[in-house]
């Protein structure tokens, strides 16, 4: 009689139900969505969303990902473009190139990527790619 069941449940912040690729599922192709995406299976291809991408502990993406936020527990290989926060859990393994505004890395995460970060890092400009080409590999970070 006085339950909250009649109140409408909010969708995601970006207007849609979250999408999910379950464990033991393999997909080849490109995905475009307005909602959040969780990958617990394997994806060879690109993901573009105006929401959040979560790669679960058993998840793997080989390709390009463009999103607002990302949480990674599994494996990623390719180009990762995150408009806001990229959060890497201890089990995460990242290889490739990364462009992000903010980065949070738990101890134990593997981050073997060329990274551009800060307010200058955008997902639509080609400038980060040009800056990545001029960086030297296998050098320790320099503090300025």
């Amino acid at each position: 009689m006085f339950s909250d069941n009649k109140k409408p449940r909010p969708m995601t912040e970006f207007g849609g139900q979250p999408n999910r690729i379950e464990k033991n599922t393999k997909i080849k192709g490109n995905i475009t969505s307005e909602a959040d995406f969780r990958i617990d299976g394997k994806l060879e291809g690109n993901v573009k969303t105006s929401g959040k991408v979560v790669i679960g502990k058993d998840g793997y993406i080989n390709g390009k990902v463009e999103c607002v936020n990302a949480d990674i527990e599994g494996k990623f290989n390719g180009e990762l473009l995150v408009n806001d926060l990229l959060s890497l859990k201890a089990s995460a393994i990242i290889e490739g190139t990364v462009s992000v505004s903010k980065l949070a890395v738990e101890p134990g995460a593997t981050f073997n990527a060329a990274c551009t970060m800060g307010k200058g890092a955008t997902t639509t400009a080609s400038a980060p790619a040009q800056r990545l080409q001029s960086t030297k590999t296998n050098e320790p970070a320099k503090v300025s």
Side-chain angles (χ1 to χ4, degrees):
M1 182 160 85
F2 295 106
S3 71
D4 290 333
N5 291 342
K6 295 178 184 174
K7 290 183 182 178
R9 292 185 180 149
M11 302 288 238
T12 64
E13 182 179 330
F14 298 100
Q17 292 290 331
N19 300 290
R20 188 172 196 138
I21 297 173
E22 293 291 336
K23 188 176 176 181
N24 300 322
T25 301
K26 295 178 184 177
I27 294 179
K28 285 187 179 183
N30 300 326
I31 298 171
T32 303
S33 177
E34 295 297 319
D36 295 346
F37 227 97
R38 181 173 178 98
I39 291 105
D40 289 308
K42 311 252 184 288
L43 171 66
E44 287 192 36
N46 305 323
V47 177
K48 186 172 184 175
T49 179
S50 56
K52 180 178 189 177
V53 171
V54 176
I55 301 176
K57 200 167 195 169
D58 296 318
Y60 173 74
I61 295 179
N62 184 14
K64 181 178 180 179
V65 173
E66 296 179 68
C67 59
V68 175
N69 294 303
D71 286 346
I72 301 179
E73 292 180 83
K75 297 178 184 175
F76 176 84
N77 188 356
E79 186 177 3
L80 183 58
L81 307 169
V82 182
N83 282 338
D84 194 19
L85 175 64
L86 169 61
S87 178
L88 303 179
K89 306 300 181 192
S91 58
I93 299 173
I94 307 298
E95 295 182 351
T97 59
V98 175
S99 178
V100 63
S101 292
K102 294 180 268 185
L103 177 63
V105 182
E106 287 185 0
T110 302
F111 188 75
N112 293 322
C115 183
T116 302
M117 64 182 293
K119 295 185 186 225
T122 61
T123 59
T124 56
S126 61
Q130 292 171 350
R131 276 185 263 146
L132 290 175
Q133 291 173 352
S134 67
T135 59
K136 295 178 183 177
T137 58
N138 297 329
E139 284 189 14
K142 296 177 184 174
V143 178
S144 51

